[in-house]
DNA sequence: TGTCCACGTCT
DNA sequence: AAGACGTGGAC
């Protein structure tokens, strides 16, 4: 990983923090190009603090969970005021967007504090080693508590950051969610789930409630130069602070059907009907143009693509 | 195709 | 303290 330091050495706290925020609920392959883009745009956390929140959200577009981008910016400004990252868990926890996991990740990896950041990987390893069958999420606290026993290990104490990252790797490559490679696992002699032949079934999960379906409308108003009218959504809630197509008609116009797109969010799936219209000029102050459309959340990019297809066919 | 997975934080 | 919050890849 580009954000990792050589074994035995500490990583730059800025790099650890930036990568860990991006890695929340997001896989490494997705994060990689965003991490590179952010470091190019903001070589130091001071550059991030000096940027506008709109610009930061724009760079974040497509990565999802946009509260992370807003908190990233807030956190950068808080760190700018403090002068540097706090070097203790309690201090890190007070920063926006940093919860128990991320505080421990920064503490262990950047500062060598003897703490264990229990992510999904380490949770899975712990559930198996100790054969904890309580389903997640109810069983989460018990699994995290059991995982703390790992820190009794001398190697863990000596290099908490390397230890945590080694466990991440164990979970990602050997102790995988499905078909774990127990036969080559360095810990298989100590694994209760392996001994009982139940490793693949752990951690158990409570069946999720069915995802509701919603229907919405997006309005794409395009001028002669192919600019599309965009709005900025309110700073909280769904796609908070992000650019979007309006969900109510921005002007009186001859709206035409451009088909629909499907999108799945965490807590609902969405059919978005897209309507399009041509207009000579966009309202003054409209956000538009190629730079703006590059900064759209994925659902809005899908809608915009549908709108453009319809307009190009119709003309 | 659809289900699961990415434990993470905030309110 | 239960629910809100995105997206894409693996299988």
């Amino acid at each position: 990983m580009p954000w990792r330091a050589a074994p035995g050495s500490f990583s730059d706290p800025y790099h650890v923090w930036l990568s860990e925020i991006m890695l929340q609920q997001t896989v490494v392959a997705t994060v990689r190009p965003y991490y590179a883009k952010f470091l190019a745009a903001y070589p130091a956390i001071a550059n991030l603090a000096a940027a506008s929140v709109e610009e930061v959200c724009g760079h974040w577009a497509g990565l999802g969970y946009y509260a992370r981008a807003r908190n990233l910016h807030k956190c950068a400004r808080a760190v700018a005021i403090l002068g540097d990252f706090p070097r203790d868990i309690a201090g890190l926890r007070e920063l926006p967007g940093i919860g128990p996991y991320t505080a421990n990740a920064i503490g262990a990896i950047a500062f060598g504090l003897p703490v264990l950041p229990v992510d999904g990987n380490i949770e899975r390893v712990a559930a198996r080693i100790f054969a904890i069958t309580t389903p997640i999420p109810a069983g989460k606290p018990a699994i995290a508590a059991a995982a703390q026993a790992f820190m009794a290990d001398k190697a863990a104490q000596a290099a908490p950051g390397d230890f945590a990252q080694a466990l991440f790797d164990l979970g990602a490559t050997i102790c995988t969610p499905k078909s774990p490679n127990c036969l080559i696992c360095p810990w298989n002699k100590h694994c209760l789930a392996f001994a009982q032949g139940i490793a693949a079934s752990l951690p158990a999960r409570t069946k999720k409630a069915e995802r509701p379906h919603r229907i919405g409308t997006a309005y794409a108003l395009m001028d002669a130069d192919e600019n599309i009218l965009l709005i900025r959504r309110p700073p909280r809630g769904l796609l908070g602070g992000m650019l979007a197509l309006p969900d109510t008609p921005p002007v009186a116009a001859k709206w035409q059907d451009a088909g629909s797109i499907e999108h799945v969010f965490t807590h609902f799936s969405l059919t978005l009907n897209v309507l399009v219209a041509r207009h000579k000029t966009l309202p003054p102050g409209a956000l538009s143009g190629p730079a703006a459309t590059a900064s759209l959340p994925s659902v809005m990019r899908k809608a915009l693509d549908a709108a453009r297809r319809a307009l190009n066919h119709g003309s």
Side-chain angles (χ1 to χ4, degrees), chain A residues 231-300:
Chain A
I231 54 125
R232 188 169 295 280
R233 292 176 60 90
R236 312 173 73 103
L238 188 71
L239 307 176
M242 299 300 291
L243 292 177
L245 293 173
D247 55 11
T248 55
V251 296
K254 187 161 160 253
W255 294 101
Q256 301 193 321
D257 181 18
S260 65
I261 60 106
E262 298 293 328
H263 193 78
V264 179
F265 293 95
T266 309
H267 52 306
F268 66 96
S269 61
L270 175 69
T271 299
L272 195 59
N273 296 314
V274 183
L275 298 181
V276 298
R278 287 278 187 184
H279 215 253
K280 280 249 167 20
T281 55
L282 301 182
L287 298 160
S288 63
T293 57
S295 306
L296 289 174
S298 294
V299 61
M300 292 299 158

Side-chain angles (χ1 to χ4, degrees), chain A residues 96-157:
Chain A
I98 298 185
Y101 165 75
T102 307
N104 279 7
I106 297 170
I109 298 170
F111 299 135
L113 301 176
V115 291
L116 186 67
V118 182
D119 74 339
N121 290 304
I122 297 183
E123 186 178 68
R124 186 167 59 254
V125 171
R128 288 172 175 169
I129 290 283
F130 302 111
I132 298 169
T133 56
T134 318
I136 289 173
K140 198 173 275 290
I143 295 171
Q148 296 309 315
F150 293 151
M151 287 309 292
D153 188 292
K154 285 197 197 71
Q157 296 272 349

Side-chain angles (χ1 to χ4, degrees), chain A residues 215-230:
Chain A
I215 297 170
T217 309
Y219 293 85
L221 187 68
M222 185 185 278
D223 70 9
D225 297 328
E226 307 287 298
N227 292 311
I228 299 263
L229 172 64
L230 299 173

